[in-house]
Amino acid sequence: MNDQISSAGLEIANVLVTSPPLHQSWDAVQKQKLQTAADQNAKMALYISETKHSNTIIISFLTSPVTLHDQQPMVSSLTLKDKGFSLFEFLCSKNAPSFSVNELAIEFFKFNHKNLDNLRKE
């Protein structure tokens, strides 16, 4: 039984790794890295790129470089909810009613929320 599960897992992994959407996504990110000259002075910059294929549109994101020092503070989803920022509440489940996210990631998301929301509406 374990051999069947193991071989099925290998087959699925092979299909995923060779799938066109995965390669298209990887190519879009690499292309964006080459095209976008990251501004070292930009704080919390977000570069968004769309790559259209015959049956898909891949949206890739590139951020300005961030230097992390020591351990970054974490923010609880309960704190975010209390502050009226409950956009990540869908990540909670019965077994995991709360989670924590890097504070810098949350600040970045808040800073770019309008751009991301407009993109989602398109």
Side-chain angles (χ1 to χ4, degrees):
M1 178 83 168
N2 284 340
D3 289 338
Q4 289 175 335
I5 292 172
S6 178
S7 65
L10 290 174
E11 288 174 29
I12 291 171
N14 189 40
V15 168
L16 290 175
V17 171
T18 59
S19 70
L22 181 64
H23 286 277
Q24 292 168 349
S25 300
W26 181 258
D27 290 344
V29 170
Q30 295 306 312
K31 181 180 174 185
Q32 185 179 20
K33 281 183 176 182
L34 292 173
Q35 290 178 345
T36 307
D39 181 0
Q40 295 295 328
N41 298 319
K43 276 192 141 183
M44 300 232 185
L46 176 65
Y47 306 97
I48 302 171
S49 174
E50 283 187 27
T51 306
K52 296 181 182 186
H53 295 276
S54 60
N55 59 348
T56 58
I57 297 175
I58 296 174
I59 300 171
S60 56
F61 303 92
L62 184 66
T63 63
S64 55
V66 176
T67 305
L68 301 177
H69 301 286
D70 302 321
Q71 179 108 6
Q72 294 296 303
M74 302 295 278
V75 179
S76 166
S77 60
L78 300 174
T79 301
L80 293 173
K81 185 177 179 181
D82 289 345
K83 292 183 177 182
F85 195 75
S86 58
L87 296 175
F88 297 110
E89 206 170 310
F90 70 94
L91 296 172
C92 297
S93 68
K94 187 176 181 180
N95 294 335
S98 67
F99 60 92
S100 292
V101 179
N102 181 295
E103 184 178 52
L104 185 59
I106 293 298
E107 290 304 314
F108 182 83
F109 187 83
K110 284 181 182 178
F111 187 77
N112 291 286
H113 184 259
K114 187 174 181 179
N115 292 339
L116 295 170
D117 195 43
N118 288 339
L119 185 62
R120 180 184 59 83
K121 289 175 184 174
E122 287 178 19

